[in-house]
Amino acid sequence: MNNAQRFFNNLNFTVGFILSVVVILAAVTSLIWTPYDSNKINAKERLQGPSWRHPLGTDQYGRDTLSRVMKGAVNSIIVGLITIAVGLGIGVIIGLAAAYYGKIVDEMLMRLCDLIFGFPAVLTAILIASILRPSIVNAMLAIGIFYIPVFARLTRATALSILAREFITAARAGGVGELGIICRHVLPNILSPLIIQGSIQFAVAILAEAGLSYLGLGTQPPNPSWGLMLNDAQTFLSISPWMAIFPGIAIAWAVLGFNLLGDGLRDTLDPKMMKGRR
Amino acid sequence: MSRYLITKLITLILLLFLVSITVFSVLFVLPGDPAQIILGINATPETLENLRSELGLNQPFMAQYLDWIGNLLSGEGNRSINYDIPVSELIISRLKVTGPLALLAMCFAILISIPLGIYAAQHQNRPTDVLVMFFTQIGLATPDFWLGMLLIMLMAVKLGLFSAGGFPGWEAGFWSSIKALLLPAFALGMIRASVLTRLTRSSMLEVLNEDYVKTARAKGVHERGVVYGHALRNAMVPIITIMGLQLGQLVAGAIIIENVFYLPGLGRLVFQAIGQRDLPVVRDIVLFMAAAIVIINILVDMSYVYFDPRIRHE
Amino acid sequence: MKKLLFGFLIGLLLIQNHPAGASAPQKGGNLIVCQPAEPPGLDPTANTAAAIDRVVYSNIYEGLVKVDRDGKYIPGLATMWDLSAEGKVYTFNLRKGVRFHNGESFNSQVAKWNIERAKGEGTVNPHPEYFRGIDKIETPDEQTLILTLKDVDALFITHMAEGDAVMLPMNGYETAKSNPVGTGPFKFTKWVPGDRVEMVRNDAYWNPHLPYLDKVTFKFIGDPSAQLAALKAGDIDVIGYIAAPESAMELSKDKRFKVYAGTTTGEVIMSTNNKAKPFDNKLVRQAMAHAIDRKMVIDLVMFGYGTSIGSHWSPSTPYYKDLTGKFPYNPDKAKHLLAEAGYADGFEATIKLPAIYSYSKRAGIVIADLLKDVGIKLNIEIVEWGQWIERIFKKKEYQLTMIGHVEAWDIGIYANPNYYFQYDSQEFRDAYAMALKAPNESEKAKWFGICQEIIAEDAVNGFLFSAPSLAVMKQRVVNWWENYPTIALDCTEVWLKN
């Protein structure tokens, strides 16, 4: 009870929580019900603006935009979860290795991270899509790879500071094995920064998926994805601007929500880190 | 310092070697026969075979790899399959679009973010600070290509002030080219400004609380002098790091915005080249991008010494 | 006994005839033509990419034979040609005093060299088979070229009028990819990669009256909204064919511009793997033909621009037979046929759509929706172009796909059982062989008609529509081609009204 109150005393957390819950609710609802079949073509009602029948209008095939935006939320959430799993899993191992071995291993791994991080995720995604095929799974792979350095750096920095502490030396002297030290002492201590970073990367994943789907490298038609809907809208900017407006708002909404949630988590969990990020 | 440089140089070379092997292998297994893509679906097997041998596609892996690297090292360079001109020429002509676009975007970002960040830090937790932070949150949440589309709808379609995309080329006039880059650069810059504003604010806050700043204040140094003379310079380290990262990403990664505005930049070139299996172009550009990213990172590293004398490279 | 004879005078008359402009053509001016795709090189004899022909064909390069606006064959570098009675010996009279842009003269030796280059060992011509039928090349004098074929080839002249058969100079052909030298009305001046190709009037053109324009620039803008913006801003004069049909719809309402929605040689089809289950069953294919509402496809995909087709033959190509009524839209009939084929409960299949063509992706989405109504569940998979070539076209790893076949007279692909349709019909092969050997027009019309009917009846592929030309231009552009019976954006007779 006390804990929850602590979180909700934070404005960032509260706003972020509300925005995110709306997204999650829309996603869950769409699994059971949407106003229209999100993929059903209706030639008679194409390219409509907002109306009572179609609150967010329709696209060039007459598909209901509201239904598609709702379904798109499911897509974005799945992408966020899986990419974080990929980035976290590999990033933590690399970060620990760099911190643990130091020297040239550290230098190489960190420069490699610079490179992966600096190297455009889009280009990686294009290459992956060309070798395999454009699909949402491959887009997730590309975003996940991009996340590896993010988590690796964070893990390395935190791990370095922990490994330098006295209790580690004490544990070593006490005969605790190296693996034991990492599992028992290092990992638990880096958990909270990882959770905070995770919620922020969740938001970044939604942005990245939108970008890749916009290029046609992510979610495949006819399934709705916010980025793909923006791609469809591109040639209708002057004919039916609504097509480009609502999916964009959906993206901004969701990203804002998860970003604020992450900031709020950080403010509450780790008051020392209360500062801007990135 | 020289030992530091040598270490960095060796890492650079090792990394480029790694990248070259990776890229080459990836493109080697890339499905899609360049000969067939060039000649189209109705070409006869015989013609295909002839073109394949002309392009050296029948050579074994190592021979092709050495051929590629050899051409690069000897300064002879590789030729684009499609355009039949040296890849270096292509890269330079595209950099003339992507480079100015990235710089212009960074200009927007810096001009907006540094003053705004300092302002917010000075007014910490006051309504204006909250407002600035709120807008940066919106900025962080907006996809840059969507902002680009909104700008097209407003500035090009509705108001007709700008063209909806395309690039006239520098020889068509300096200003008309700048004008073509303005909207995309603004879209890119606004999003990056959000990141930088937040960073400037937090970095400044941290520095403003440090002892030497307090000392300077106590000594009676004017507040303006404190902020710009002492604090900002010290706060620049993280800001420069992120700016370097952003610049690298902009040079290499403006692919999406170049697509929205249809700019003939480096990103579009590589996007196209992969689609058309113009492999020499793809390889060279990827290597170039990798080198650019690592070099920018090294430069950023070196700039720390200037901004923060406490940092010394061994 | 039939002779194909075209006199020089007739040719001149055709050229001097300006149906679109009532007033006399004005000389001079600078035309900027936009086309979506940048050509991969500028040598049409080394690459079949349509984007190449659209820039250079009839503008920079010419062949012996040209195609006129009605799809008829007219004199190009040959003033006339004569076919021997048994249909194997073609005698071309070559135009006098023709020079390449680099000053070399064009004569029978050059023509012979070009043909030998196309059919010889180590050729990189995508269609050496067009020339392989030539048994003997004789050049009795500078102006006469005699080609003796091994066998009658009804499409020989057709092929000689294609981009693969344009004439290159013996010196300077090596750089044709980046610095083309031809005999055409325009001389190549500059290629700015990623942006444009420029050419200027060839003052030494063999027809002293042509061209009217001083300069033509081909600008490559693939993005539909950028195309539109450039046209509205006055940066370009013509969009050779518009990338997004919705833009044509929008522009047709604007008084400053005119939209041509003529025919082209291209057919958009839902290619079907005739060896993949369940599409090896003719009834299934026919059921699908009944389940597709072509009008709705054209409306949703092309905003109404485009003509329904019933077979692999464009209405703009001679001997066209209207077979669109063979499988009218009838979902009940489709379900009935599916039940008869043993799929009363429908089935699931995958359609692989090439990512680079938006019409293909759109049509795939619409057709998946239509087929769902009769119980066929189509999963859509977008494939990148290189993958499409590799996996679908070469390895035939697909069930359904969607693509436009742009070449005219390409029905012969159905005679090849190894083509990616994997359609194997002796009946068709026989009919096609008869058509190729047809000694006269009526026989040709009969057999090419039968060819169209056989593949329509077998519902080899989903025959959807013939792609529209969709050219948009400023009102002052006169004499632009309304239909595109060949793959070209020929600016020879185009002029600008002041």
Side-chain angles (χ1 to χ4, degrees):
Chain A
M1 215 39 203
N2 234 343
N3 260 338
Q5 230 161 42
R6 213 178 82 204
F7 281 116
F8 281 107
N9 277 340
N10 182 291
L11 180 70
N12 277 347
F13 184 87
T14 314
V15 176
F17 183 80
I18 294 170
L19 293 178
S20 313
V21 162
V22 171
V23 176
I24 294 168
L25 272 182
V28 172
T29 313
S30 79
L31 296 177
I32 316 158
W33 174 85
T34 47
Y36 294 84
D37 177 349
S38 61
N39 289 344
K40 187 64 197 164
I41 287 175
N42 184 350
K44 284 191 203 89
E45 298 190 0
R46 58 199 310 217
L47 295 173
Q48 288 185 0
S51 67
W52 284 114
R53 269 179 74 78
H54 300 283
L56 306 186
T58 60
D59 69 3
Q60 86 243 46
Y61 306 103
R63 300 180 298 195
D64 180 55
T65 303
L66 176 61
S67 308
R68 292 180 69 73
V69 166
M70 285 170 70
K71 280 267 189 209
V74 180
N75 194 52
S76 290
I77 288 171
I78 292 175
V79 170
L81 289 178
I82 292 184
T83 51
I84 287 172
V86 173
L88 206 65
I90 304 173
V92 168
I93 293 172
I94 290 186
L96 284 177
Y100 191 79
Y101 292 107
K103 301 223 177 81
I104 189 73
V105 177
D106 186 20
E107 173 72 15
M108 276 305 280
L109 282 177
M110 283 305 109
R111 287 292 84 81
L112 193 67
C113 282
D114 279 354
L115 190 67
I116 300 180
F117 191 62
F119 205 69
V122 181
L123 195 48
T124 319
I126 298 172
L127 283 173
I128 293 179
S130 311
I131 295 175
L132 306 166
R133 62 189 176 84
S135 77
I136 188 63
V137 177
N138 294 327
M140 288 193 275
L141 195 64
I143 303 170
I145 289 175
F146 182 69
Y147 279 1
I148 294 173
V150 175
F151 289 106
R153 279 191 188 142
L154 187 66
T155 308
R156 172 181 173 272
T158 327
L160 272 180
S161 78
I162 291 165
L163 282 172
R165 288 212 209 141
E166 276 157 17
F167 70 90
I168 299 283
T169 326
R172 275 208 182 107
V176 180
E178 297 300 307
L179 199 68
I181 286 182
I182 290 190
C183 291
R184 239 180 284 163
H185 298 290
V186 180
L187 277 180
N189 278 301
I190 59 175
L191 208 59
S192 124
L194 285 180
I195 290 176
I196 294 164
Q197 193 65 39
S199 82
I200 288 161
Q201 293 310 128
F202 194 93
V204 178
I206 294 177
L207 273 180
E209 189 273 337
L212 293 181
S213 292
Y214 169 80
L215 284 182
L217 303 169
T219 312
Q220 297 303 302
N223 297 322
S225 135
W226 296 335
L228 196 62
M229 292 170 76
L230 286 182
N231 180 351
D232 276 343
Q234 177 91 48
T235 55
F236 294 94
L237 289 185
S238 49
I239 301 169
S240 182
W242 304 109
M243 276 175 71
I245 288 175
F246 294 115
I249 291 178
I251 297 171
W253 178 295
V255 176
L256 186 64
F258 289 107
N259 263 340
L260 289 176
L261 201 66
D263 283 1
L265 277 177
R266 177 176 44 209
D267 296 350
T268 326
L269 287 176
D270 188 0
K272 267 179 297 176
M273 286 176 68
M274 208 174 138
K275 53 184 174 184
R277 58 191 162 77
R278 280 187 269 184
Chain B
M1 193 66 194
S2 67
R3 231 189 96 189
Y4 164 81
L5 264 184
I6 290 170
T7 325
K8 291 284 168 190
L9 216 64
I10 293 175
T11 341
L12 172 69
I13 291 169
L14 276 176
L15 273 179
L16 286 187
F17 173 70
L18 222 87
V19 171
S20 73
I21 289 273
T22 316
V23 167
F24 195 85
S25 320
V26 164
L27 293 183
F28 196 78
V29 299
L30 196 62
D33 176 4
Q36 183 94 58
I37 291 176
I38 289 172
L39 292 174
I41 56 176
N42 289 338
T44 60
E46 183 197 352
T47 314
L48 286 170
E49 200 45 43
N50 288 336
L51 186 65
R52 256 182 235 127
S53 66
E54 196 186 298
L55 295 175
L57 295 170
N58 291 337
Q59 306 262 336
F61 179 87
M62 268 324 273
Q64 282 192 47
Y65 177 76
L66 291 177
D67 198 40
W68 171 48
I69 294 294
N71 279 343
L72 282 180
L73 292 181
S74 68
E76 198 178 309
N78 295 290
R79 287 182 88 78
S80 155
I81 296 179
N82 258 343
Y83 295 115
D84 199 27
I85 60 172
V87 178
S88 54
E89 256 178 57
L90 265 182
I91 292 184
I92 290 169
S93 75
R94 297 305 178 98
L95 267 181
K96 284 181 187 161
V97 179
T98 301
L101 176 67
L103 288 177
L104 210 57
M106 281 319 281
C107 281
F108 275 125
I110 292 168
L111 285 180
I112 294 169
S113 64
I114 303 278
L116 215 56
I118 293 174
Y119 177 85
Q122 284 175 316
H123 299 79
Q124 192 190 1
N125 291 340
R126 276 185 247 162
T128 43
D129 173 38
V130 174
L131 196 71
V132 168
M133 286 297 99
F134 174 72
F135 274 112
T136 58
Q137 280 290 4
I138 302 266
L140 286 179
T142 311
D144 49 18
F145 67 96
W146 184 55
L147 183 58
M149 289 168 88
L150 292 182
L151 286 172
I152 291 178
M153 280 196 276
L154 182 70
M155 307 298 273
V157 175
K158 262 247 137 52
L159 302 176
L161 296 175
F162 287 86
S163 121
F167 187 74
W170 290 103
E171 66 273 15
F174 179 75
W175 288 114
S176 58
S177 299
I178 289 287
K179 199 178 160 196
L181 295 179
L182 227 44
L183 288 187
F186 186 75
L188 288 170
M190 283 311 285
I191 309 304
R192 273 135 197 98
S194 300
V195 178
L196 288 179
T197 306
R198 298 177 73 80
L199 195 68
T200 309
R201 175 180 176 272
S202 66
S203 194
M204 282 300 286
L205 278 178
E206 199 172 330
V207 176
L208 285 173
N209 287 327
E210 297 242 2
D211 288 341
Y212 63 95
V213 175
K214 286 181 183 155
T215 318
R217 272 205 190 112
K219 275 188 192 158
V221 177
H222 193 267
E223 183 64 23
R224 188 165 276 244
V226 171
V227 170
Y228 291 94
H230 293 77
L232 182 59
R233 187 165 153 175
N234 283 292
M236 279 312 273
V237 171
I239 301 176
I240 289 283
T241 311
I242 298 300
M243 268 166 36
L245 209 71
Q246 290 184 338
L247 190 66
Q249 282 179 352
L250 281 178
V251 169
I255 298 179
I256 303 183
I257 211 90
E258 281 177 6
N259 262 294
V260 173
F261 285 92
Y262 212 75
L263 298 171
L266 207 56
R268 275 190 58 81
L269 176 64
V270 72
F271 193 60
Q272 254 179 342
I274 293 175
Q276 296 167 333
R277 295 291 185 275
D278 196 342
L279 301 185
V281 174
V282 183
R283 287 184 206 126
D284 287 6
I285 293 183
V286 170
L287 208 57
F288 171 80
M289 283 180 172
I293 290 160
V294 178
I295 289 171
I296 288 178
N297 271 313
I298 292 176
L299 288 179
V300 165
D301 238 25
M302 286 164 67
S303 74
Y304 293 164
V305 184
Y306 171 78
F307 286 105
D308 189 347
R310 285 172 302 181
I311 298 175
R312 282 273 169 271
H313 296 297
E314 281 150 29
Chain C
M1 282 306 283
K2 191 82 185 169
K3 277 190 174 187
L4 293 175
L5 192 82
F6 288 92
F8 179 51
L9 274 175
I10 300 170
L12 255 188
L13 274 176
L14 275 168
I15 288 166
Q16 296 261 296
N17 188 19
H18 312 287
S23 51
Q26 288 161 348
K27 287 213 167 203
N30 189 343
L31 185 77
I32 303 175
V33 182
C34 160
Q35 80 164 10
E38 175 166 28
L42 292 173
D43 183 357
T45 67
N47 188 326
T48 51
I52 300 177
D53 291 306
R54 288 191 174 114
V55 174
V56 302
Y57 185 81
S58 265
N59 289 326
I60 294 176
Y61 291 119
E62 296 171 305
L64 298 174
V65 185
K66 278 192 180 189
V67 181
D68 79 355
R69 292 170 189 244
D70 300 320
K72 291 206 192 75
Y73 299 105
I74 58 166
L77 290 176
T79 52
M80 59 181 242
W81 54 92
D82 189 2
L83 182 57
S84 67
E86 84 284 22
K88 285 190 195 171
V89 182
Y90 286 86
T91 307
F92 290 91
N93 280 19
L94 305 185
R95 214 173 277 282
K96 264 192 194 135
V98 174
R99 283 183 183 277
F100 285 97
H101 301 147
N102 63 3
E104 272 180 75
S105 18
F106 170 77
N107 54 39
S108 57
Q109 285 304 318
V110 177
K112 181 178 177 203
W113 172 84
N114 269 288
I115 292 168
E116 280 171 344
R117 180 171 168 256
K119 68 188 280 234
E121 289 279 312
T123 176
V124 288
N125 193 301
H127 289 300
E129 78 279 10
Y130 289 179
F131 309 91
R132 290 273 159 83
I134 300 170
D135 192 31
K136 213 164 59 179
I137 308 170
E138 289 159 286
T139 54
D141 62 58
E142 293 249 300
Q143 256 58 58
T144 311
L145 177 74
I146 303 173
L147 303 176
T148 309
L149 306 193
K150 291 171 191 151
D151 218 329
V152 174
D153 179 358
L155 292 180
F156 186 69
I157 288 297
T158 303
H159 290 150
M160 287 307 108
E162 282 180 24
D164 312 85
V166 298
M167 293 292 153
L168 271 55
M170 285 163 79
N171 297 306
Y173 76 93
E174 306 92 336
T175 60
K177 241 171 132 177
S178 53
N179 182 20
V181 175
T183 58
F186 297 99
K187 278 193 287 200
F188 170 84
T189 50
K190 188 158 116 187
W191 182 4
V192 182
D195 187 47
R196 65 185 186 275
V197 166
E198 293 177 6
M199 52 188 87
V200 296
R201 184 176 202 276
N202 172 16
D203 293 323
Y205 190 51
W206 51 261
N207 182 336
H209 306 284
L210 291 171
Y212 301 120
L213 296 161
D214 285 340
K215 189 178 169 194
V216 177
T217 303
F218 280 88
K219 207 159 163 55
F220 311 116
I221 309 178
D223 179 55
S225 41
Q227 277 186 355
L228 222 71
L231 185 71
K232 283 180 176 168
D235 297 341
I236 52 176
D237 302 300
V238 185
I239 300 176
Y241 60 105
I242 209 157
E246 55 269 29
S247 307
M249 179 189 81
E250 198 186 337
L251 286 170
S252 64
K253 293 172 192 150
D254 194 324
K255 286 261 162 4
R256 292 174 292 166
F257 308 111
K258 46 186 175 182
V259 176
Y260 287 170
T263 55
T264 66
T265 58
E267 302 95 16
V268 175
I269 59 173
M270 178 169 72
S271 307
T272 308
N273 189 340
N274 282 243
K275 286 225 170 85
K277 274 203 179 309
F279 306 103
D280 52 348
N281 188 333
K282 185 167 148 184
L283 291 173
V284 171
R285 299 196 302 265
Q286 290 179 334
M288 288 198 301
H290 275 302
I292 295 171
D293 180 355
R294 293 192 197 87
K295 191 179 168 311
M296 183 170 145
V297 172
I298 294 171
D299 273 351
L300 281 171
V301 177
M302 301 301 296
F303 282 78
Y305 298 109
T307 321
S308 298
I309 50 171
S311 186
H312 196 101
W313 203 277
S314 154
S316 70
T317 307
Y319 318 131
Y320 170 73
K321 208 161 181 166
D322 186 354
L323 295 163
T324 48
K326 203 165 187 92
F327 297 101
Y329 176 56
N330 187 345
D332 293 332
K333 184 89 185 284
K335 278 184 206 156
H336 184 78
L337 282 171
L338 277 178
E340 198 179 319
Y343 295 98
D345 300 325
F347 58 85
E348 201 171 326
T350 301
I351 184 164
K352 296 183 176 171
L353 307 171
I356 53 168
Y357 298 118
S358 84
Y359 65 80
S360 151
K361 284 187 283 185
R362 288 181 179 184
I365 289 170
V366 175
I367 284 180
D369 192 71
L370 282 166
L371 291 185
K372 205 170 157 191
D373 294 342
V374 297
I376 303 175
K377 184 176 182 302
L378 279 195
N379 299 310
I380 292 176
E381 191 182 307
I382 307 283
V383 291
E384 195 245 2
W385 183 236
Q387 296 255 9
W388 191 91
I389 295 260
E390 188 75 22
R391 285 169 53 209
I392 294 164
F393 187 73
K394 282 180 137 174
K395 298 194 179 141
K396 294 127 192 161
E397 293 168 1
Y398 80 106
Q399 291 177 304
L400 299 169
T401 183
M402 183 88 59
I403 191 86
H405 280 252
V406 291
E407 290 189 32
W409 302 96
D410 59 353
I411 201 167
I413 53 185
Y414 290 80
N416 175 4
N418 290 321
Y419 204 66
Y420 76 112
F421 314 139
Q422 306 215 68
Y423 170 64
D424 191 351
S425 157
Q426 193 56 47
E427 188 194 3
F428 179 84
R429 279 194 291 276
D430 293 342
Y432 186 64
M434 289 302 287
L436 282 191
K437 301 221 160 34
N440 57 46
E441 286 300 305
S442 64
E443 282 290 292
K444 265 200 217 177
K446 177 183 158 204
W447 286 106
F448 276 126
I450 291 174
C451 284
Q452 295 172 50
E453 266 174 48
I454 293 172
I455 56 172
E457 171 62 29
D458 282 347
V460 181
N461 294 313
F463 301 109
L464 302 177
F465 58 90
S466 165
S469 62
L470 279 195
V472 185
M473 68 213 76
K474 291 180 183 164
Q475 293 289 358
R476 64 188 285 244
V477 178
V478 187
N479 231 6
W480 191 262
W481 293 47
E482 270 193 60
N483 299 316
Y484 293 154
T486 185
I487 303 168
L489 297 177
D490 183 350
C491 300
T492 314
E493 298 162 40
V494 178
W495 54 277
L496 288 167
K497 202 156 46 180
N498 282 322

